[in-house]
Structures are given as C-alpha cells and as structure tokens.
Amino acid sequence: MTEDSPALEIPPPREDRPPMKANLLNAMQKANTSLTPLFPYMHPGAIVPTGALFIGQPGKDYGQFYHHNTVDEVIIAFVAEGGNLRTGQLYNGGRVHGVNSFMKDQTKAGSFVLFSVTQRQADPGEVQTEAISLLCEACRKPLFKAEFDATPGPEARELEHPFPSINAPPERLAQFNADPAQRECPECGHDNPPFPLHQWGWTDYAEQSKVMARAKQLLLAAGEG
Ligand SMILES: [Zn+2]
C-alpha cells in the first residue's frame, strides 16, 4: 500500500440501514413461504440473504421449474437430511438453474433441506430480470415461461417491494394452471399437470405482502388524522 494507492474501504452502513442478523432456524420455523428474505433491504447493490425450507412427506410433490436470474445466487446447505446437497455444502447454480425439492426422495418422512440462498442486487442503473419456466414433463421441450422485471428501486425495502422471485410467479402460474391449452405441449401433445403452487407458499406471501403494505398506508394516514 502506498500513498498513491489508498486502501479499498467499505463505508460504514447508513444510519437508516443498520446491520441486521437473523437465526435461520428461527426464521424458517415461521416463514409463510418456502423461500423468504431474511432482511428488508432490497435496494441496488444490497446483499439479499433468504432462507429456503423443503420438507418431505408421503405424497409430497414440489414439482420442478427453472429459475432465470440476471444476478448470481449462492446457496449454502445449512442443514439437510436426505438432501441432494450435504450439510455445509456450497453451491452456485448459475444464471439458469433447475429448482425442485432438493431432496433425494421428497416423499420420505423425516427428509428436509434448510438452505440459505443469497443474491446481490443489480447495481444502480442496471436492469435485473428474472423468469420462471417449465418444461413438458413428457418430452422436455420448453412449455411455459413467465419473465418479470426484478430491477431494485433506489430505496427498495421488502414491505413496499416484495421479493420478486416469490411475489411475481403465483399470478402467472395460476393462469397456466387454469388454462389446459397452455398446459398442452405443442410438441408432443402431452397434457401437463398444473404446477403445484400450493406447496411453495408463494401465494400466501404475495397476499400478506399486499395486506401489510396497505396496513402501513392506513397506519400512516391514521397518524396524520
Ligand atoms: Zn411434450
């Protein structure tokens, strides 16, 4: 280090963005969705750690989809019993990665995986895009793709900006589920089953996000009255 090359320094956090910590076990004990952000910070450049929990039981079927993301995601298998990743294993799935239960046998009682999935939001001025896609279960040809803008707003926080990865898909997948024409494979004619949305909890997250954002507005209005 010389006077001409100053040390790289990370500035201290802003006063209105204090450092936060969470216990992943406590967080996922009561999360309403299989993937949930642990902290409210969603702004450009923010590190966004989430928790992910899948639980095996007889008859369970999480299905499978592909997640497309223009930012990287780093997965740590915190604890797994019967998982495809072992406890402590680190994994980067790439910008397009398959998502399923991550269990060897999702119908086996006692199996579970508890992951953290961490992404770094796009920097200011950059576009962040995500998509969810499905393949035909019979011939593996692309069947469905829902793309959505996930560009973080300048001061985005989770309450006003629910995590797009879980907030955007339910509506589009519900349309897919309700429309047999969309589920019929144009290649092989296979009648694909509806995506098992109810296993993922995303609909609850989207609904509770709407209600809590409205609750904040009402609370602020009451304070002004
Ligand atoms: Zn097909």
Side-chain angles (χ1 to χ4, degrees), residues 64-66 68 132-146 172-173 175-177 179-195:
Q64 162 137 354
F65 66 91
Y66 287 83
H68 311 238
I132 275 186
S133 66
L134 303 171
L135 301 182
C136 171
E137 68 171 14
C139 75
R140 310 297 292 166
K141 287 283 192 315
L143 181 69
F144 167 86
K145 187 174 183 184
R172 301 288 297 275
L173 283 166
Q175 290 169 3
F176 169 82
N177 285 351
D179 183 3
Q182 282 192 61
R183 291 190 282 107
E184 184 183 315
C185 177
E187 283 289 325
C188 74
H190 179 69
D191 178 20
N192 284 273
F195 180 80

